[in-house]
């Protein structure tokens, strides 16, 4: 009918606007990872920056005194989070759907680790002692429904303006709208100083795309570096033809005395570096196949990366995301390379425990 035709004309966002229902949780909108802050600002231009809170994603539905709280996987957890229910009931809006994060904070305001926050969500019923030990703070960052109207199709800046008029600052994630690199850098430093894992950069003009992982939301975290050992290298293509380019990267495995492969990278290399590493790796060659030269594990390389993720592709069950070469470390021996447990310590708790 009329509604379906209007939705079809407005595309997916229009369709979503007609399918929102109170107490029927939506799939959350998801984010991609940016290489760094500069890449995020280049991608989005004028953007909204928010603290990235490593808590439990929550969707809060309210109609009058009826409140329900749902997880990222759309499980209802209302009875386990009474302080979120009380805060929602106290809001003047008659009806709303909020998207945000709930997190347990320490006495100094810094966050507890993700696993600690998740203890609050393991209970089906209210636990007064646990609530007293680990009170939850709510950081809402989006408003999807307000007093009978869906906001999914509204541009993000409009949703956020409505959010700021609807709930107090104490319940909102800290946000800065800026395209200025210095201001953005200070905002990122502030988030890290408060103990959070980075910031989000979000486009101002796009709708809320439930269940989508698009370029509208970008995660920005500080890069880590490790000293790793080159285990093999693959011959390059195109401009890199005749050069050993794609490096196989390994961390020390103290348990076995061997090496654990954490992925490959061909990023970050200058022409000089490609020439040097081709010559050096051929000196270390032990065997080869049609496209790979395997080498003695002696050459140490400093590798920058954004995240560690669980990966079934490699025997160690870990992989580096956005790995790139910073420099070679001829001053270091293979025995000085980082060990795999240091790498594993960076695995997000949400992945380490299978969540």
């Amino acid at each position: 009918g009329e509604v379906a035709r209007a939705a079809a004309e407005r595309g997916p966002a229009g369709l979503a606007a007609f399918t929102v229902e109170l107490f029927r949780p939506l799939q959350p909108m998801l984010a991609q990872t940016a290489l760094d802050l500069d890449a995020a600002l280049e991608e989005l231009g004028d953007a909204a920056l928010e603290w990235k809170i490593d808590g439990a994603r929550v969707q809060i539905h309210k109609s009058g005194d009826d409140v329900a709280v749902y997880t990222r996987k759309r499980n209802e957890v209302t009875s386990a989070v009474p302080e979120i229910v009380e805060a929602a009931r106290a809001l003047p809006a008659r009806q709303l759907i909020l998207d945000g994060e709930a997190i347990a904070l320490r006495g100094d305001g810094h966050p507890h680790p993700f696993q600690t926050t998740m203890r609050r969500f393991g209970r089906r019923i209210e636990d007064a002692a646990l609530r007293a030990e680990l009170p939850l703070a709510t950081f809402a960052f989006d408003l999807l429904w307000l007093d009978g109207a869906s906001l999914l199709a509204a541009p993000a800046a409009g949703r956020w303006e409505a959010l700021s008029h609807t709930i107090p600052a104490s319940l909102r994630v800290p946000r800065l709208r800026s395209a200025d690199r210095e201001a953005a850098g200070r905002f990122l430093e502030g988030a890290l100083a408060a103990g959070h894992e980075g910031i989000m950069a979000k486009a101002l003009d796009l709708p809320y795309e439930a269940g989508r992982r698009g370029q509208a939301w970008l995660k920005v975290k500080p890069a880590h570096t490790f000293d790793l050992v080159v285990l093999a290298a693959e011959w390059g293509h195109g401009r890199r033809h005749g050069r050993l380019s794609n490096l196989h990267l390994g961390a020390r495995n103290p348990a076995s005395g061997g090496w654990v492969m954490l992925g490959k990278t061909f990023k970050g290399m200058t022409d000089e570096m490609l020439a040097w590493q081709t010559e050096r790796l051929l000196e270390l060659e032990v065997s080869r196949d049609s496209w790979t030269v395997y080498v003695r594990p002696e050459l140490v390389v400093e590798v920058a990366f954004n995240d560690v993720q669980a990966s079934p592709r490699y025997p160690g069950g870990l992989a580096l995301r956005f790995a790139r070469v910073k420099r070679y470390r001829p001053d270091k021996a293979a025995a000085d390379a980082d060990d795999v447990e240091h790498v594993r310590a960076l695995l997000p708790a949400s992945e380490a425990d299978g969540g």
Side-chain angles (χ1 to χ4, degrees):
E2 199 64 34
V3 164
R5 198 158 49 250
E9 284 167 11
R10 294 165 67 190
L15 190 62
F18 292 104
T19 55
V20 184
E21 270 181 54
L22 279 165
F23 305 109
R24 208 177 95 190
L26 293 144
Q27 287 188 305
M29 184 168 168
L30 303 170
Q32 305 258 34
T33 303
L35 186 63
D36 54 26
L37 183 56
D38 291 326
L41 293 176
E42 191 177 320
E43 175 90 25
L44 299 177
D46 189 16
L49 308 175
E50 299 170 357
W51 284 8
K52 185 177 183 330
I53 311 288
D54 190 24
R57 184 84 174 261
V58 289
Q59 199 176 109
I60 304 164
H61 291 231
K62 172 188 177 173
S63 181
D65 272 347
D66 292 334
V67 174
V69 182
Y70 304 93
T71 65
R72 176 189 297 270
K73 293 178 177 170
R74 296 185 287 172
N75 298 320
E76 191 184 335
V77 289
T78 311
S79 57
V81 290
E83 59 267 63
I84 297 179
V85 174
E86 290 159 15
R89 278 197 185 128
L91 295 172
R94 191 172 52 83
Q95 291 184 336
L96 48 73
I97 299 176
L98 294 168
D99 189 5
E101 295 273 343
I103 191 165
L105 300 177
R106 302 196 313 241
D108 63 1
H110 280 234
H112 281 289
F114 175 83
Q115 308 95 304
T116 305
T117 286
M118 292 315 291
R119 283 176 53 203
R120 284 294 307 271
F121 290 82
R123 308 294 166 97
R124 282 280 162 262
I125 53 169
E126 183 177 340
D127 182 328
L130 193 57
R131 176 182 176 176
E133 181 194 345
L134 293 174
L136 289 174
T138 304
F139 289 97
F141 50 69
D142 223 318
L143 181 61
L144 311 183
W145 178 276
L146 180 62
D147 292 339
S150 167
L151 302 184
L152 260 67
R159 297 195 312 273
W160 299 331
E161 188 175 353
L163 179 72
S164 69
H165 294 314
T166 304
I167 69 170
S170 59
L171 294 175
R172 297 197 309 267
V173 72
R175 178 181 281 129
L176 170 73
R177 179 176 169 174
S178 181
D180 178 66
R181 174 63 181 82
E182 278 189 33
R186 286 194 299 273
F187 187 75
L188 172 57
E189 284 166 17
L192 297 172
H196 298 290
E197 58 176 3
I199 59 176
M200 304 291 299
K202 296 182 175 180
L204 301 173
D205 53 350
L206 294 175
Y208 188 95
E209 295 184 290
R212 288 281 310 280
R213 189 184 293 279
Q215 288 290 319
W217 289 7
L218 297 173
K219 292 182 263 196
V220 180
K221 298 184 194 177
H224 308 279
T225 62
F226 277 136
D227 291 331
L228 301 175
V229 166
V230 182
L231 305 177
E234 297 168 16
W235 293 106
H237 304 282
R239 193 175 65 77
R240 295 185 173 193
H241 183 75
R243 303 281 196 215
L244 284 172
S245 171
N246 201 11
L247 303 179
H248 296 203
L249 302 166
R252 255 184 333 109
N253 184 356
S256 70
W259 303 92
V260 180
M261 185 166 165
L262 297 175
K264 307 176 184 183
T265 189
F266 53 82
K267 295 188 169 70
M269 298 167 190
T270 62
D271 288 344
E272 293 82 359
M273 200 181 281
L274 282 162
W276 182 84
Q277 75 187 24
T278 301
E279 188 178 323
R280 185 77 186 92
L281 290 168
L282 289 174
E283 292 170 7
L284 297 172
E285 178 180 350
V286 291
S287 65
R288 68 170 72 189
D289 57 33
S290 52
W291 63 85
T292 308
V293 173
Y294 299 90
V295 299
R296 292 200 305 277
E298 294 179 15
L299 195 58
V300 178
V301 62
E302 187 177 337
V303 173
F305 60 96
N306 288 41
D307 295 299
V308 176
Q309 64 184 12
S311 170
R313 185 190 291 180
Y314 300 114
L318 303 172
L320 305 181
R321 296 193 70 211
F322 296 117
R324 58 246 184 224
V325 172
K326 283 196 76 177
R327 55 185 171 150
Y328 277 99
R329 297 300 306 259
D331 54 320
K332 292 200 171 188
D336 300 324
D338 282 291
D339 83 51
V340 70
E341 292 312 316
H342 290 159
V343 182
R344 196 178 307 280
L346 293 180
L347 194 64
S350 51
E351 291 195 34
D353 63 15

